[in-house]
Coordinates of all heavy atoms in Angstrom, one line a residue:
D279 N -20.2 -0.5 -5.0 CA -18.9 0.2 -4.6 C -18.6 1.3 -5.7 O -18.3 1.0 -6.8 CB -17.8 -0.9 -4.6 CG -16.5 -0.3 -4.2 OD1 -16.2 0.9 -4.3 OD2 -15.6 -1.2 -3.7
A280 N -18.7 2.5 -5.3 CA -18.5 3.6 -6.2 C -17.1 3.6 -6.8 O -16.9 4.0 -7.9 CB -18.8 5.0 -5.5
D281 N -16.1 3.3 -5.9 CA -14.7 3.2 -6.4 C -14.5 2.2 -7.5 O -13.9 2.5 -8.5 CB -13.8 2.9 -5.3 CG -13.1 4.2 -4.7 OD1 -13.3 5.3 -5.3 OD2 -12.4 4.1 -3.6
R282 N -15.1 1.0 -7.3 CA -15.0 0.0 -8.3 C -15.7 0.4 -9.6 O -15.2 0.2 -10.7 CB -15.7 -1.3 -7.8 CG -15.6 -2.5 -8.8 CD -16.2 -3.7 -8.2 NE -15.4 -4.1 -7.0 CZ -15.8 -5.1 -6.2 NH1 -16.9 -5.8 -6.5 NH2 -15.1 -5.4 -5.1
I283 N -16.9 1.0 -9.5 CA -17.6 1.5 -10.7 C -16.8 2.6 -11.4 O -16.7 2.7 -12.6 CB -19.0 2.0 -10.3 CG1 -19.8 0.9 -9.7 CG2 -19.7 2.7 -11.5 CD1 -21.1 1.3 -9.1
A284 N -16.2 3.5 -10.5 CA -15.4 4.6 -11.1 C -14.2 4.0 -12.0 O -13.9 4.7 -13.0 CB -14.8 5.5 -10.0
R285 N -13.7 2.9 -11.6 CA -12.7 2.3 -12.4 C -13.3 1.7 -13.7 O -12.7 1.8 -14.8 CB -11.9 1.2 -11.7 CG -11.0 1.7 -10.5 CD -10.1 0.7 -10.0 NE -10.9 -0.3 -9.2 CZ -11.1 -0.2 -7.9 NH1 -10.7 0.9 -7.2 NH2 -11.8 -1.1 -7.2
E286 N -14.5 1.1 -13.6 CA -15.1 0.5 -14.8 C -15.4 1.6 -15.8 O -15.3 1.3 -17.0 CB -16.4 -0.2 -14.3 CG -16.1 -1.5 -13.5 CD -17.4 -2.1 -13.0 OE1 -18.5 -1.5 -13.3 OE2 -17.4 -3.1 -12.3
V287 N -15.9 2.7 -15.4 CA -16.4 3.7 -16.3 C -15.3 4.5 -17.0 O -15.5 5.3 -17.9 CB -17.4 4.7 -15.7 CG1 -18.6 4.0 -15.2 CG2 -16.7 5.5 -14.6
V288 N -14.0 4.2 -16.6 CA -12.9 4.8 -17.3 C -11.9 3.8 -17.8 O -10.7 4.0 -18.0 CB -12.1 5.8 -16.4 CG1 -13.0 7.0 -16.0 CG2 -11.6 5.1 -15.1
A289 N -12.4 2.6 -18.0 CA -11.6 1.5 -18.6 C -11.3 1.8 -20.0 O -12.0 2.7 -20.7 CB -12.4 0.2 -18.5
P290 N -10.2 1.2 -20.6 CA -9.9 1.5 -22.0 C -11.1 1.3 -22.9 O -11.8 0.3 -22.8 CB -8.8 0.4 -22.3 CG -8.1 0.2 -21.0 CD -9.3 0.3 -19.9
L295 N -13.0 7.4 -20.3 CA -11.5 7.6 -20.4 C -11.2 8.6 -21.5 O -10.3 9.4 -21.4 CB -10.9 6.2 -20.8 CG -9.3 6.3 -20.9 CD1 -8.7 6.8 -19.6 CD2 -8.8 4.9 -21.3
I298 N -11.5 12.0 -20.1 CA -10.4 12.4 -19.2 C -9.1 12.7 -20.0 O -8.4 13.7 -19.7 CB -10.1 11.2 -18.2 CG1 -11.2 11.1 -17.2 CG2 -8.7 11.4 -17.5 CD1 -11.1 9.9 -16.3
D305 N -0.8 12.2 -21.2 CA 0.2 11.9 -20.1 C -0.4 11.1 -19.0 O 0.3 10.5 -18.2 CB 0.8 13.2 -19.5 CG 1.8 13.8 -20.5 OD1 2.2 13.2 -21.4 OD2 2.2 15.0 -20.2
V306 N -1.8 11.1 -18.9 CA -2.4 10.4 -17.8 C -2.7 8.9 -18.2 O -3.3 8.2 -17.5 CB -3.7 11.0 -17.4 CG1 -3.4 12.4 -16.8 CG2 -4.7 11.1 -18.5
L307 N -2.2 8.5 -19.4 CA -2.4 7.1 -19.9 C -1.1 6.3 -19.6 O 0.0 6.8 -19.7 CB -2.6 7.1 -21.4 CG -4.0 7.6 -21.8 CD1 -4.0 7.6 -23.4 CD2 -5.1 6.8 -21.2
A308 N -1.3 5.1 -19.1 CA -0.2 4.2 -19.0 C 0.2 3.6 -20.3 O -0.5 3.8 -21.3 CB -0.6 3.0 -18.1
P309 N 1.4 3.0 -20.4 CA 1.8 2.5 -21.7 C 0.8 1.5 -22.4 O 0.8 1.5 -23.6 CB 3.1 1.7 -21.4 CG 3.6 2.5 -20.2 CD 2.4 2.8 -19.4
D310 N 0.0 0.8 -21.6 CA -0.9 -0.1 -22.2 C -2.3 0.6 -22.6 O -3.2 -0.1 -23.1 CB -1.2 -1.3 -21.3 CG -1.9 -0.9 -20.0 OD1 -2.1 0.4 -19.8 OD2 -2.2 -1.8 -19.2
G311 N -2.4 1.9 -22.5 CA -3.5 2.6 -22.9 C -4.6 2.7 -21.8 O -5.6 3.4 -22.0
S312 N -4.3 2.2 -20.6 CA -5.2 2.3 -19.5 C -4.9 3.6 -18.7 O -3.9 4.3 -19.0 CB -5.1 1.1 -18.5 OG -3.8 1.1 -17.9
L313 N -5.8 4.0 -17.8 CA -5.6 5.2 -17.0 C -4.5 5.0 -16.0 O -4.5 4.0 -15.3 CB -6.9 5.6 -16.3 CG -6.9 6.9 -15.5 CD1 -6.6 8.1 -16.4 CD2 -8.2 7.1 -14.8
D314 N -3.5 5.9 -16.0 CA -2.5 5.9 -15.0 C -3.0 6.6 -13.8 O -2.9 7.8 -13.6 CB -1.2 6.5 -15.5 CG 0.0 6.4 -14.6 OD1 -0.3 6.2 -13.4 OD2 1.1 6.6 -15.1
R315 N -3.7 5.8 -12.9 CA -4.4 6.5 -11.7 C -3.4 7.2 -10.8 O -3.8 8.3 -10.3 CB -5.2 5.4 -11.0 CG -6.3 4.8 -11.9 CD -7.1 3.7 -11.2 NE -7.8 4.2 -10.0 CZ -9.1 4.7 -10.1 NH1 -9.7 4.7 -11.3 NH2 -9.7 5.1 -9.1
P316 N -2.3 6.6 -10.5 CA -1.3 7.4 -9.6 C -0.9 8.7 -10.2 O -0.8 9.8 -9.5 CB -0.2 6.5 -9.4 CG -0.7 5.1 -9.6 CD -1.8 5.3 -10.7
R317 N -0.7 8.7 -11.5 CA -0.3 9.9 -12.2 C -1.4 11.0 -12.2 O -1.2 12.1 -11.9 CB 0.1 9.6 -13.7 CG 0.3 10.8 -14.6 CD 1.4 11.7 -14.2 NE 1.6 12.8 -15.2 CZ 2.2 13.9 -14.9 NH1 2.8 14.1 -13.7 NH2 2.4 14.8 -15.8
L318 N -2.6 10.5 -12.5 CA -3.7 11.4 -12.5 C -4.0 11.9 -11.1 O -4.3 13.1 -10.9 CB -5.0 10.7 -13.0 CG -6.3 11.6 -13.0 CD1 -6.1 12.8 -13.9 CD2 -7.4 10.7 -13.5
G319 N -3.9 11.0 -10.1 CA -4.1 11.4 -8.7 C -3.1 12.5 -8.3 O -3.5 13.5 -7.6
S320 N -1.8 12.4 -8.7 CA -0.8 13.4 -8.3 C -1.1 14.8 -8.9 O -0.7 15.8 -8.3 CB 0.6 12.9 -8.7 OG 0.7 12.9 -10.2
I321 N -1.9 14.8 -10.0 CA -2.2 16.0 -10.7 C -3.4 16.7 -10.0 O -3.4 17.8 -9.6 CB -2.6 15.8 -12.1 CG1 -1.3 15.4 -12.9 CG2 -3.2 17.0 -12.8 CD1 -1.6 14.9 -14.3
V322 N -4.5 15.9 -9.7 CA -5.7 16.5 -9.3 C -5.8 16.7 -7.8 O -6.4 17.7 -7.3 CB -6.9 15.6 -9.7 CG1 -7.0 15.5 -11.2 CG2 -6.9 14.2 -9.0
F323 N -5.1 15.9 -7.0 CA -5.2 16.1 -5.5 C -4.5 17.3 -5.0 O -4.6 17.7 -3.9 CB -4.8 14.8 -4.8 CG -5.8 13.7 -4.9 CD1 -5.6 12.6 -5.6 CD2 -7.1 13.8 -4.3 CE1 -6.6 11.6 -5.7 CE2 -8.1 12.9 -4.4 CZ -7.8 11.7 -5.1
L332 N -12.2 16.6 -12.9 CA -12.2 15.2 -12.9 C -13.6 14.6 -12.4 O -14.2 13.8 -13.0 CB -11.1 14.6 -12.1 CG -11.1 13.1 -12.0 CD1 -10.9 12.4 -13.4 CD2 -9.9 12.6 -11.1
N333 N -14.0 15.2 -11.3 CA -15.2 14.7 -10.7 C -16.4 15.0 -11.6 O -17.4 14.2 -11.6 CB -15.5 15.4 -9.3 CG -14.5 14.9 -8.3 OD1 -13.9 13.9 -8.4 ND2 -14.3 15.7 -7.2
V336 N -16.4 12.0 -14.1 CA -16.6 10.7 -13.5 C -17.9 10.5 -12.8 O -18.6 9.5 -12.9 CB -15.4 10.3 -12.7 CG1 -15.6 8.9 -12.1 CG2 -14.1 10.3 -13.5
V340 N -20.7 7.4 -12.8 CA -20.8 6.5 -11.6 C -22.2 6.5 -11.1 O -22.8 5.4 -10.8 CB -19.8 6.9 -10.5 CG1 -20.1 6.1 -9.2 CG2 -18.4 6.7 -10.9
P362 N -17.0 7.2 -1.4 CA -15.9 8.0 -0.7 C -16.2 9.5 -0.6 O -15.9 10.1 0.5 CB -14.7 7.8 -1.6 CG -14.9 6.5 -2.3 CD -16.4 6.4 -2.5
R394 N -0.4 1.3 2.8 CA -0.6 1.6 1.3 C 0.7 2.1 0.6 O 0.7 2.2 -0.6 CB -1.7 2.6 1.1 CG -3.1 2.2 1.6 CD -4.1 3.0 0.9 NE -5.4 2.8 1.5 CZ -6.5 3.4 1.2 NH1 -6.5 4.3 0.1 NH2 -7.7 3.3 1.8
M396 N 2.1 5.0 0.7 CA 2.2 6.4 0.3 C 3.3 7.2 1.0 O 3.7 6.8 2.1 CB 0.8 7.1 0.6 CG -0.3 6.6 -0.2 SD -1.8 7.7 0.1 CE -3.0 6.8 -0.8
D400 N 2.1 12.8 0.2 CA 0.9 12.4 -0.7 C -0.3 12.1 0.2 O -1.4 12.5 -0.1 CB 1.3 11.2 -1.5 CG 0.3 10.9 -2.6 OD1 -0.4 11.9 -3.0 OD2 0.3 9.8 -3.1
R404 N -4.0 14.0 0.1 CA -5.2 13.3 -0.2 C -6.2 13.5 0.9 O -7.4 13.7 0.7 CB -5.0 11.8 -0.5 CG -4.3 11.6 -1.8 CD -3.9 10.2 -2.1 NE -3.2 10.0 -3.3 CZ -3.7 9.5 -4.4 NH1 -4.9 9.0 -4.4 NH2 -3.0 9.4 -5.5

Side-chain angles (χ1 to χ4, degrees):
D279 185 337
D281 262 352
R282 181 177 300 172
I283 295 171
R285 290 190 290 271
E286 292 175 359
V287 299
V288 297
L295 182 58
I298 288 175
D305 285 347
V306 299
L307 291 177
D310 64 359
S312 64
L313 182 63
D314 186 337
R315 296 175 68 86
R317 168 65 177 159
L318 180 61
S320 68
I321 294 171
V322 302
F323 286 112
L332 176 63
N333 289 342
V336 176
V340 172
R394 298 199 194 179
M396 291 185 185
D400 191 22
R404 288 175 183 250

